[in-house]
Amino acid sequence: MTIAALLAWSVAVPQLISAGVLVEGQVAALLKSFHQDMTDAQLNAIAAVIVSGAIKVQALAQADMGTMTKAAA
Amino acid sequence: MKKLLILCLLTSACGTAGVSLKQTVTLSLQTSETLLEGAQTIERQLCFNTPATESGPTCTNTLGIAAGLNLMKPNPNKASELITVHQLIAFYFNEAGKYEQLAATALPAWKAGDPAPSSVATYQADILAVLSEAQQLLPTPGVKAFVDKAQATVDAGAVIATAVGVK
């Protein structure tokens, strides 16, 4: 949750509760949806994105390294 | 109860308590990876007139040359071999990319209480080396952006290192 969204919520939620639009249970459910644990599949998908980005970094870096000795002599 | 829920919203304390540590470290690694790519992009923009098509050990951009990217330093793998500062930074980017991949594979399987994956400490050392070289450049335009991005990469990496208990 971003700071901006958090601030928006901090203003909106008390008003919605006062107006009877939201009840406590609904607020708790909303909070849970924002902060739910990701599944292993979701974490693995993020890991795949990280690996993909890191491979891109390596490809550019290796092109710039040229013929320098790359491993400890 | 109502006040407690609103307090949670205001402080976001609920968020940090509700999310698993391995989720936090995986997301921090993703942040660090994005920042690492950003730092490399800035460094290559400093180095090359047309970074999309140029590559290699020698910089062509006068800003990067004035900053010191073409100065020579010993190769950390072979001290008798001199390489450009740009090559040296590229070497640390390459190493960071390598250990970041290993960390990305290890962290989703990591659990609180497990030993810290060794790749996390090595990744942190490599991005610190990028930051150290960035900080030694002369302050020409663009260098500050490079230093700031490298520092942010290190900061995100430090979150991971601390979370997994790197000593």
Side-chain angles (χ1 to χ4, degrees):
Chain A
M1 194 175 197
T2 65
I3 298 292
L6 189 66
L7 286 171
W9 265 96
S10 69
V11 173
V13 169
Q15 291 173 351
L16 291 171
I17 291 172
S18 298
V21 177
L22 278 178
V23 295
E24 284 174 11
Q26 288 172 315
V27 176
L30 282 167
L31 277 173
K32 194 178 174 195
S33 72
F34 279 126
H35 304 303
Q36 228 163 17
D37 263 351
M38 290 177 173
T39 63
D40 285 348
Q42 286 171 315
L43 289 176
N44 287 331
I46 291 171
V49 171
I50 296 168
V51 168
S52 166
I55 288 171
K56 197 172 126 195
V57 168
Q58 278 198 293
L60 284 171
Q62 284 171 10
D64 290 346
M65 286 160 68
T67 56
M68 67 177 274
T69 303
K70 295 176 181 73
Chain B
M1 180 62 186
K2 192 183 291 181
K3 283 181 181 170
L4 180 65
L5 285 169
I6 293 168
L7 184 66
C8 283
L9 276 170
L10 286 170
T11 61
S12 77
C14 292
T16 51
V19 173
S20 73
L21 197 54
K22 76 176 175 181
Q23 180 170 319
T24 301
V25 296
T26 303
L27 291 174
S28 294
L29 186 64
Q30 187 184 25
T31 302
S32 186
E33 198 286 319
T34 305
L35 291 164
L36 184 73
E37 280 189 56
Q40 186 185 40
T41 299
I42 294 170
E43 193 273 338
R44 298 189 84 256
Q45 283 169 345
L46 258 178
C47 179
F48 298 117
N49 290 315
T50 49
T53 54
E54 285 182 85
S55 64
T58 309
C59 294
T60 55
N61 187 331
T62 51
L63 287 177
I65 295 168
L69 285 173
N70 277 354
L71 296 177
M72 306 303 280
K73 283 195 172 184
N75 181 343
N77 295 316
K78 189 178 179 185
S80 61
E81 181 181 293
L82 293 179
I83 59 173
T84 64
V85 171
H86 167 63
Q87 263 180 304
L88 183 60
I89 292 171
F91 167 74
Y92 288 127
F93 273 127
N94 183 56
E95 291 293 299
K98 180 165 78 181
Y99 287 101
E100 188 170 50
Q101 287 175 62
L102 294 172
T105 308
L107 288 176
W110 179 86
K111 299 186 300 295
D114 286 352
S118 60
S119 51
V120 172
T122 314
Y123 171 68
Q124 187 68 357
D126 289 324
I127 55 179
L128 269 169
V130 170
L131 175 63
S132 171
E133 292 302 325
Q135 288 170 331
Q136 291 172 55
L137 294 173
L138 292 172
T140 57
V143 168
K144 183 179 184 309
F146 178 37
V147 171
D148 289 349
K149 194 69 85 173
Q151 180 68 64
T153 310
V154 167
D155 292 346
V159 171
I160 306 161
T162 303
V164 301
V166 169
K167 305 287 184 225

